[in-house]
């Protein structure tokens, strides 16, 4: 227990996601019934059609495919950011029903995330950070005890002293169109480091499952000028190389 690192898995997705997207797109322009349309789609490689669909920007059929990710070792700070993406479903570990009791932790401290810049300062600063988390654990234990140690009734108020660094776990489901939007914003170098790392890992997993859908996915600068304008990171060439080889 204590320090945690990010873990991301793609646990479920729509079966044959590119086929169902192709079916939705072709249905708009086809006179045949659904059974014949489905049979024809299954017999052919839909890669070129999906690629054409993406280039045309005909993205409503892309919403038929969804992807569910299991995410652990991320902070409550990240939770506040990712839940701003409203076309998504979230199941998040509760700090009300799941207590952060020191007695249940191996080193007496709740699970937490260390920002890379703090880690880069060296072992002495990591020790200080850990000690600060241990102090917060004592505050949490104090309030939980003062409130009668009544499970969720005391934990729901004791949790108010917990920091953004506290670790959380979640399941996140998005359709492919929302994922494309999510990647365009959160894979950007201007995004906060933790959600940028998360979105990049999610993109890598999504590409493996549906390569034609996510072939050109990533930050907005991959397909044109940097959308950040004067706030650009100035590293468009490096960014394009990174996502071309993800």
């Amino acid at each position: 227990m204590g320090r945690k690192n990010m873990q991301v898995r793609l646990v479920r997705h729509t079966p044959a996601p590119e086929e169902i997207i192709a079916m939705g797109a072709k249905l708009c322009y086809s006179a045949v019934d659904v059974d014949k349309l489905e049979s024809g789609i299954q017999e052919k490689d839909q890669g070129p059609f999906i690629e054409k669909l993406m280039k045309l920007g005909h993205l409503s059929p892309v919403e038929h495919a969804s992807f569910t990710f299991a995410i652990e070792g991320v902070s409550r700070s990240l939770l506040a950011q990712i839940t701003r993406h409203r076309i998504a479903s979230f199941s998040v570990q509760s700090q009300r029903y799941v207590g952060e009791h020191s007695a249940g932790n191996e080193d007496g401290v709740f699970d937490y995330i260390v920002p890379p810049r703090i880690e880069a300062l060296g072992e002495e600063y990591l020790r200080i950070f850990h000690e600060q988390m241990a102090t917060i654990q004592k505050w949490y234990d104090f309030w939980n005890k003062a409130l009668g140690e009544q499970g969720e009734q005391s934990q729901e108020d004791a949790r108010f002293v917990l920091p953004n660094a506290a670790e959380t776990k979640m399941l996140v489901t998005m359709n492919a169109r929302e994922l494309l939007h999510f990647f365009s914003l959160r894979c950007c170098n201007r995004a906060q480091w933790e959600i940028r790392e998360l979105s990049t890992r999610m993109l890598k997993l999504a590409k493996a499952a549906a390569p034609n859908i996510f072939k050109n996915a990533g930050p907005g600068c991959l397909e044109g000028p940097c959308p950040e304008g004067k706030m650009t990171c100035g590293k468009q060439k490096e960014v394009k190389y990174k996502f071309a080889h993800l």
Side-chain angles (χ1 to χ4, degrees):
M1 309 295 269
R3 181 177 179 180
K4 300 286 283 188
N5 294 314
M6 184 185 294
Q7 297 181 52
V8 187
R9 291 187 296 126
L10 176 59
V11 292
R12 297 287 189 279
H13 63 75
T14 301
E18 296 185 350
E19 286 186 7
I20 196 66
I21 289 171
M23 185 174 174
K26 291 182 178 181
L27 182 65
C28 298
Y29 308 105
S30 177
V32 303
D33 60 38
V34 174
D35 288 341
K36 290 181 180 179
L37 182 63
E38 182 179 16
S39 177
I41 285 171
Q42 291 174 344
E43 291 172 0
K44 298 179 182 178
D45 173 21
Q46 296 303 320
F49 178 75
I50 294 293
E51 188 172 354
K52 180 181 178 181
L53 191 70
M54 302 302 289
K55 287 181 178 178
L56 290 172
H58 185 191
L59 297 182
S60 59
V62 178
E63 296 173 15
H64 290 298
S66 64
F67 298 77
T68 299
F69 299 86
I71 301 167
E72 300 181 62
V74 294
S75 70
R76 303 294 290 198
S77 177
L78 181 140
L79 177 62
Q81 295 180 78
I82 196 170
T83 50
R84 291 172 187 153
H85 294 269
R86 288 168 292 177
I87 307 176
S89 298
F90 301 93
S91 295
V92 182
Q93 186 179 70
S94 171
Q95 285 183 326
R96 182 186 184 199
Y97 292 98
V98 180
E100 300 285 5
H101 307 300
S102 58
N105 295 346
E106 185 177 316
D107 58 0
V109 182
F110 58 87
D111 293 335
Y112 61 84
I113 310 305
V114 179
R117 289 189 184 91
I118 290 178
E119 182 176 16
L121 294 173
E123 289 296 325
E124 177 64 13
Y125 289 91
L126 282 174
R127 181 187 63 78
I128 293 171
F129 191 84
H130 177 80
E131 288 176 353
Q132 292 172 341
M133 296 301 105
T135 296
I136 294 173
Q137 178 72 70
K138 291 177 182 177
W139 296 345
Y140 176 89
D141 291 342
F142 171 86
W143 287 114
N144 189 56
K145 184 176 180 180
L147 293 166
E149 296 182 316
Q150 299 181 46
E152 67 268 21
Q153 292 184 31
S154 53
Q155 289 163 186
E156 70 179 2
D157 291 335
R159 64 182 168 171
F160 274 66
V161 300
L162 292 172
N164 275 340
E167 187 247 6
T168 194
K169 302 172 177 65
M170 68 185 86
L171 281 180
V172 177
T173 301
M174 298 185 189
N175 67 51
R177 186 177 189 177
E178 177 60 16
L179 273 175
L180 290 167
H181 174 65
F182 175 72
F183 296 146
S184 72
L185 297 177
R186 301 301 189 171
C187 289
C188 174
N189 278 351
R190 291 274 301 152
Q192 184 259 359
W193 67 267
E194 189 178 20
I195 200 166
R196 183 173 68 245
E197 174 66 19
L198 173 63
S199 62
T200 301
R201 293 192 191 190
M202 290 169 63
L203 173 53
K204 187 174 182 178
L205 294 168
K207 267 190 172 183
N212 292 298
I213 299 172
F214 298 103
K215 180 179 179 180
N216 297 310
C221 65
L222 298 185
E223 296 294 308
C226 175
E228 293 292 316
K230 292 181 179 180
M231 300 181 75
T232 179
C233 71
K235 299 179 179 179
Q236 190 172 11
K237 184 177 180 180
E238 293 95 322
V239 170
K240 285 186 175 183
Y241 180 86
K242 173 184 176 179
F243 286 93
H245 296 83
L246 190 65

